[in-house]
PDB file of all heavy atoms in Angstrom:
ATOM      1  N   LYS A 352      10.830 -44.434  12.053  1.00  0.00           N
ATOM      2  CA  LYS A 352      10.650 -45.803  11.550  1.00  0.00           C
ATOM      3  C   LYS A 352      10.012 -46.682  12.634  1.00  0.00           C
ATOM      4  O   LYS A 352      10.432 -47.802  12.875  1.00  0.00           O
ATOM      5  CB  LYS A 352      11.981 -46.412  11.143  1.00  0.00           C
ATOM      6  CG  LYS A 352      12.679 -45.687  10.021  1.00  0.00           C
ATOM      7  CD  LYS A 352      13.955 -46.428   9.683  1.00  0.00           C
ATOM      8  CE  LYS A 352      14.982 -45.509   9.065  1.00  0.00           C
ATOM      9  NZ  LYS A 352      16.334 -45.872   9.424  1.00  0.00           N
ATOM     10  N   GLU A 353       9.065 -46.115  13.349  1.00  0.00           N
ATOM     11  CA  GLU A 353       8.358 -46.798  14.447  1.00  0.00           C
ATOM     12  C   GLU A 353       9.267 -47.169  15.609  1.00  0.00           C
ATOM     13  O   GLU A 353       8.873 -47.877  16.524  1.00  0.00           O
ATOM     14  CB  GLU A 353       7.622 -48.040  13.948  1.00  0.00           C
ATOM     15  CG  GLU A 353       6.449 -47.677  13.080  1.00  0.00           C
ATOM     16  CD  GLU A 353       5.895 -48.851  12.349  1.00  0.00           C
ATOM     17  OE1 GLU A 353       6.038 -49.963  12.849  1.00  0.00           O
ATOM     18  OE2 GLU A 353       5.313 -48.629  11.275  1.00  0.00           O
ATOM     19  N   GLU A 354      10.512 -46.700  15.547  1.00  0.00           N
ATOM     20  CA  GLU A 354      11.414 -47.007  16.657  1.00  0.00           C
ATOM     21  C   GLU A 354      11.334 -45.873  17.658  1.00  0.00           C
ATOM     22  O   GLU A 354      11.796 -44.771  17.397  1.00  0.00           O
ATOM     23  CB  GLU A 354      12.841 -47.124  16.138  1.00  0.00           C
ATOM     24  CG  GLU A 354      13.836 -47.362  17.232  1.00  0.00           C
ATOM     25  CD  GLU A 354      15.213 -47.671  16.664  1.00  0.00           C
ATOM     26  OE1 GLU A 354      15.290 -48.043  15.490  1.00  0.00           O
ATOM     27  OE2 GLU A 354      16.177 -47.533  17.399  1.00  0.00           O
ATOM     28  N   PHE A 355      10.713 -46.129  18.764  1.00  0.00           N
ATOM     29  CA  PHE A 355      10.711 -45.112  19.799  1.00  0.00           C
ATOM     30  C   PHE A 355      10.667 -45.788  21.154  1.00  0.00           C
ATOM     31  O   PHE A 355      10.368 -46.968  21.266  1.00  0.00           O
ATOM     32  CB  PHE A 355       9.554 -44.130  19.613  1.00  0.00           C
ATOM     33  CG  PHE A 355       8.183 -44.735  19.666  1.00  0.00           C
ATOM     34  CD1 PHE A 355       7.437 -44.683  20.837  1.00  0.00           C
ATOM     35  CD2 PHE A 355       7.645 -45.350  18.560  1.00  0.00           C
ATOM     36  CE1 PHE A 355       6.176 -45.239  20.892  1.00  0.00           C
ATOM     37  CE2 PHE A 355       6.386 -45.909  18.612  1.00  0.00           C
ATOM     38  CZ  PHE A 355       5.651 -45.855  19.778  1.00  0.00           C
ATOM     39  N   VAL A 356      11.018 -45.029  22.153  1.00  0.00           N
ATOM     40  CA  VAL A 356      10.997 -45.569  23.512  1.00  0.00           C
ATOM     41  C   VAL A 356      10.187 -44.612  24.377  1.00  0.00           C
ATOM     42  O   VAL A 356       9.857 -43.506  23.956  1.00  0.00           O
ATOM     43  CB  VAL A 356      12.418 -45.756  24.100  1.00  0.00           C
ATOM     44  CG1 VAL A 356      13.195 -46.804  23.344  1.00  0.00           C
ATOM     45  CG2 VAL A 356      13.160 -44.451  24.162  1.00  0.00           C
ATOM     46  N   THR A 357       9.900 -45.068  25.583  1.00  0.00           N
ATOM     47  CA  THR A 357       9.085 -44.251  26.467  1.00  0.00           C
ATOM     48  C   THR A 357       9.951 -43.466  27.436  1.00  0.00           C
ATOM     49  O   THR A 357      10.801 -44.034  28.118  1.00  0.00           O
ATOM     50  CB  THR A 357       8.129 -45.157  27.272  1.00  0.00           C
ATOM     51  OG1 THR A 357       7.379 -45.924  26.335  1.00  0.00           O
ATOM     52  CG2 THR A 357       7.190 -44.329  28.135  1.00  0.00           C
ATOM     53  N   CYS A 358       9.713 -42.164  27.466  1.00  0.00           N
ATOM     54  CA  CYS A 358      10.265 -41.306  28.516  1.00  0.00           C
ATOM     55  C   CYS A 358       9.217 -41.330  29.621  1.00  0.00           C
ATOM     56  O   CYS A 358       8.054 -41.048  29.365  1.00  0.00           O
ATOM     57  CB  CYS A 358      10.452 -39.899  27.932  1.00  0.00           C
ATOM     58  SG  CYS A 358      10.332 -38.549  29.110  1.00  0.00           S
ATOM     59  N   GLY A 359       9.624 -41.694  30.818  1.00  0.00           N
ATOM     60  CA  GLY A 359       8.647 -41.817  31.917  1.00  0.00           C
ATOM     61  C   GLY A 359       8.541 -43.256  32.365  1.00  0.00           C
ATOM     62  O   GLY A 359       9.135 -44.154  31.763  1.00  0.00           O
ATOM     63  N   GLY A 360       7.799 -43.468  33.433  1.00  0.00           N
ATOM     64  CA  GLY A 360       7.670 -44.815  33.996  1.00  0.00           C
ATOM     65  C   GLY A 360       7.822 -44.755  35.499  1.00  0.00           C
ATOM     66  O   GLY A 360       7.735 -43.670  36.101  1.00  0.00           O
ATOM     67  N   VAL A 361       8.083 -45.917  36.090  1.00  0.00           N
ATOM     68  CA  VAL A 361       8.159 -45.986  37.557  1.00  0.00           C
ATOM     69  C   VAL A 361       9.296 -45.089  38.055  1.00  0.00           C
ATOM     70  O   VAL A 361      10.417 -45.132  37.528  1.00  0.00           O
ATOM     71  CB  VAL A 361       8.379 -47.443  38.024  1.00  0.00           C
ATOM     72  CG1 VAL A 361       8.580 -47.494  39.538  1.00  0.00           C
ATOM     73  CG2 VAL A 361       7.192 -48.307  37.626  1.00  0.00           C
ATOM     74  N   ARG A 362       8.983 -44.272  39.067  1.00  0.00           N
ATOM     75  CA  ARG A 362       9.968 -43.320  39.607  1.00  0.00           C
ATOM     76  C   ARG A 362      11.197 -44.039  40.151  1.00  0.00           C
ATOM     77  O   ARG A 362      11.085 -44.991  40.919  1.00  0.00           O
ATOM     78  CB  ARG A 362       9.338 -42.506  40.734  1.00  0.00           C
ATOM     79  CG  ARG A 362       8.402 -41.503  40.190  1.00  0.00           C
ATOM     80  CD  ARG A 362       8.079 -40.400  41.167  1.00  0.00           C
ATOM     81  NE  ARG A 362       7.105 -39.571  40.492  1.00  0.00           N
ATOM     82  CZ  ARG A 362       5.938 -39.221  40.995  1.00  0.00           C
ATOM     83  NH1 ARG A 362       5.619 -39.558  42.220  1.00  0.00           N
ATOM     84  NH2 ARG A 362       5.099 -38.490  40.284  1.00  0.00           N
ATOM     85  N   LEU A 363      12.360 -43.538  39.744  1.00  0.00           N
ATOM     86  CA  LEU A 363      13.598 -44.252  40.052  1.00  0.00           C
ATOM     87  C   LEU A 363      13.957 -44.217  41.528  1.00  0.00           C
ATOM     88  O   LEU A 363      14.594 -45.129  42.044  1.00  0.00           O
ATOM     89  CB  LEU A 363      14.733 -43.697  39.200  1.00  0.00           C
ATOM     90  CG  LEU A 363      14.485 -43.776  37.684  1.00  0.00           C
ATOM     91  CD1 LEU A 363      15.716 -43.328  36.917  1.00  0.00           C
ATOM     92  CD2 LEU A 363      14.085 -45.190  37.276  1.00  0.00           C
TER      93      LEU A 363
END
Side-chain angles (χ1 to χ4, degrees):
K352 298 182 206 146
E353 290 168 27
E354 177 172 341
F355 61 98
V356 295
T357 304
C358 151
V361 175
R362 286 198 183 127
L363 302 185

